[in-house]
């Protein structure tokens, strides 16, 4: 496929192809690069168009492209670009396509990457579209899960802001390809949106919903924690009703399996006590680091496919 705009595009075979390639890049990076990591794309330029803030996604795409021997141009965000003068997304991506061979797009509007992909031939990667999807995050999440717990016969608890959480929407959809047992833990007001419920239903996945982590914790191989996203709430009062709802600490994890893997797409605010960071449960920094080999693999496959 030319573009990656939603996790639903990815079959199990697609995911495994990316993760296997990522494992090769991971090994080469761990070996220090060199001959194991030849510059594959010296003439290739990747454009970063981020209309919302980012640390991990933007920097790991940039690192990935540079590790592949390629180059990066950065639109520089809304205020530093002609977006602030009112330029449309369609015009922006059509212009950027003339400068670059691929576009990584983060945008506050759901569906933005899908729309952008209709205007350009170069591969478009959705790096987060509002409360919609974040499929490249899902690939690194799946890579992390495969490394830590395996993707077969997986029981995962997905906790927090399931309504606005684009990482959750993409991950839940992708996990249906692996027949994972998914438990969704959230306040009533932050349950999965209708579109994701529909995808899960169509895929034959069982929708197990809870309001308390304790109800599911002992069964879990992976606990995937997410931030309640203040910036997505239309009403501050509604946010305050659920702020701080889930805070994972050593006491929370007392009933967990010894080898439970705790993940978080980050940034975190108060969802995971820093005391967990130094335990064997914590995988969230490793998860963020996996963004580089996984995005190298994704870029490599998309560029090869587009040749
Ligand atoms: N996980 C993630 O998307 O982080 P950033 O917002 O920092 O890119």
């Amino acid at each position: 496929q030319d573009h990656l705009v939603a996790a639903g595009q990815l079959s199990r075979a697609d995911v495994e192809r990316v993760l296997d390639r990522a494992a090769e890049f991971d090994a080469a990076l761990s070996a220090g690069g060199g001959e194991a990591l030849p510059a594959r794309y010296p003439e290739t330029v990747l454009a970063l168009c981020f209309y919302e803030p980012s640390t991990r996604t933007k920097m790991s795409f940039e690192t990935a492209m540079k590790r592949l021997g390629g180059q990066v141009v950065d639109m520089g965000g809304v205020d530093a670009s002609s977006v602030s003068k009112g330029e449309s997304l369609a015009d922006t991506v059509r212009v950027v396509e003339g400068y670059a061979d691929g576009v990584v797009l983060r945008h506050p509007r759901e569906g933005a990457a899908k729309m952008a992909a209709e205007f350009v031939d170069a591969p478009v990667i959705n790096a987060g579209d509002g409360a919609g999807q974040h499929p490249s995050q899902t690939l690194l999440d799946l890579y992390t899960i495969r490394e830590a717990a395996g993707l077969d016969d997986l029981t995962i608890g997905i906790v927090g802001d399931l309504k606005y959480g684009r990482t959750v929407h993409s991950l839940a959809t992708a996990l249906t390809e692996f027949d994972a047992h998914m438990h969704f833990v959230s306040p009533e007001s932050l349950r999965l949106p209708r579109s994701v419920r529909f995808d899960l239903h169509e895929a034959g996945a069982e929708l197990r919903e809870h309001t308390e982590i304790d109800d599911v914790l002992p069964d879990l191989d992976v606990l995937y924690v997410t931030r309640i996203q203040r910036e997505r709430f239309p009403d501050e009062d509604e946010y305050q009703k659920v702020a701080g709802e889930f805070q994972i600490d050593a006491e929370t994890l007392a009933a967990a399996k010894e080898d439970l893997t705790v993940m978080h797409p980050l940034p975190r605010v108060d969802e995971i006590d820093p005391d967990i960071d130094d335990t064997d449960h914590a995988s969230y920094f490793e998860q963020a680091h996996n963004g580089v080999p996984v995005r190298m693999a994704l870029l490599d496959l998309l560029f090869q496919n587009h040749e």
Side-chain angles (χ1 to χ4, degrees):
Q1 297 179 20
D2 273 353
H3 308 287
L4 179 60
V5 297
Q9 289 173 247
L10 299 168
S11 66
R12 182 179 179 131
D14 292 331
V15 170
E16 285 173 343
R17 196 172 308 121
V18 177
L19 303 198
D20 290 348
R21 183 69 62 92
E24 292 168 17
F25 285 129
D26 206 354
L29 290 169
S30 298
E35 284 182 18
L37 204 60
R40 291 174 182 235
Y41 295 99
E43 303 300 327
T44 305
V45 178
L46 182 68
L48 305 176
C49 298
F50 278 63
Y51 291 67
E52 281 188 335
S54 168
T55 299
R56 280 146 290 274
T57 310
K58 188 172 174 181
M59 292 186 75
S60 63
F61 264 117
E62 180 163 356
T63 306
M65 193 59 194
K66 290 179 174 172
R67 296 278 189 214
L68 289 168
Q71 297 160 62
V72 173
V73 286
D74 181 355
M75 188 185 80
V78 169
D79 291 339
S81 70
S82 286
V83 176
S84 63
K85 302 174 198 168
E87 186 162 45
S88 70
L89 175 60
D91 280 2
T92 299
V93 292
R94 279 184 286 196
V95 169
V96 168
E97 187 185 29
Y99 308 148
D101 305 287
V103 179
V104 180
L105 176 68
R106 172 168 289 188
H107 198 280
R109 285 286 295 274
E110 212 169 314
K114 188 165 185 284
M115 191 280 277
E118 289 168 13
F119 285 89
V120 296
D121 291 329
V124 173
I125 300 172
N126 180 4
D129 59 334
Q133 291 270 319
H134 195 350
S136 70
Q137 174 74 42
T138 290
L139 290 167
L140 73 92
D141 291 344
L142 294 174
Y143 185 81
T144 307
I145 293 170
R146 190 171 82 165
E147 295 276 295
L151 282 162
D152 295 323
D153 202 22
L154 174 76
T155 300
I156 183 170
I158 304 180
V159 177
D161 186 348
L162 311 186
K163 179 177 181 180
Y164 298 115
R166 56 196 177 197
T167 66
V168 168
H169 303 163
S170 290
L171 180 61
T173 302
L175 282 171
T176 64
E177 290 288 316
F178 295 87
D179 298 325
H181 304 272
M182 290 182 269
H183 293 277
F184 298 99
V185 186
S186 72
E188 299 275 353
S189 62
L190 293 180
R191 286 185 167 186
L192 288 171
R194 197 177 307 155
S195 59
V196 181
R197 305 173 86 84
F198 178 78
D199 285 349
L200 298 183
H201 183 266
E202 287 294 289
E206 193 176 329
L207 194 61
R208 303 173 185 88
E209 295 182 295
H210 314 267
T211 54
E212 303 296 333
I213 294 176
D214 293 350
D215 293 347
V216 297
L217 191 73
D219 294 333
L220 302 181
D221 304 307
V222 173
L223 178 65
Y224 190 96
V225 186
T226 63
R227 179 175 63 92
I228 296 184
Q229 298 176 77
R230 182 180 209 151
E231 68 275 22
R232 305 256 179 246
F233 281 68
D235 179 343
E236 174 68 15
D237 290 344
E238 289 303 309
Y239 168 72
Q240 290 300 339
K241 285 181 193 165
V242 290
E245 184 85 8
F246 299 107
Q247 296 183 342
I248 312 298
D249 57 17
E251 197 181 326
T252 320
L253 297 186
K257 287 182 188 172
E258 207 172 310
D259 59 353
L260 172 78
T261 298
V262 178
M263 297 174 62
H264 191 308
L266 304 178
R268 69 176 153 181
V269 180
D270 56 6
E271 307 82 54
I272 301 178
D273 188 323
D275 284 350
I276 305 292
D277 298 356
D278 295 327
T279 71
D280 289 341
H281 294 303
S283 284
Y284 26 94
F285 292 114
E286 179 68 20
Q287 181 184 355
H289 295 159
N290 288 337
V292 173
V294 171
R295 289 180 168 124
M296 288 172 76
L298 175 62
L299 291 169
D300 192 28
L301 292 166
L302 281 175
F303 286 137
Q304 274 181 18
N305 193 47
H306 193 69
E307 274 174 5

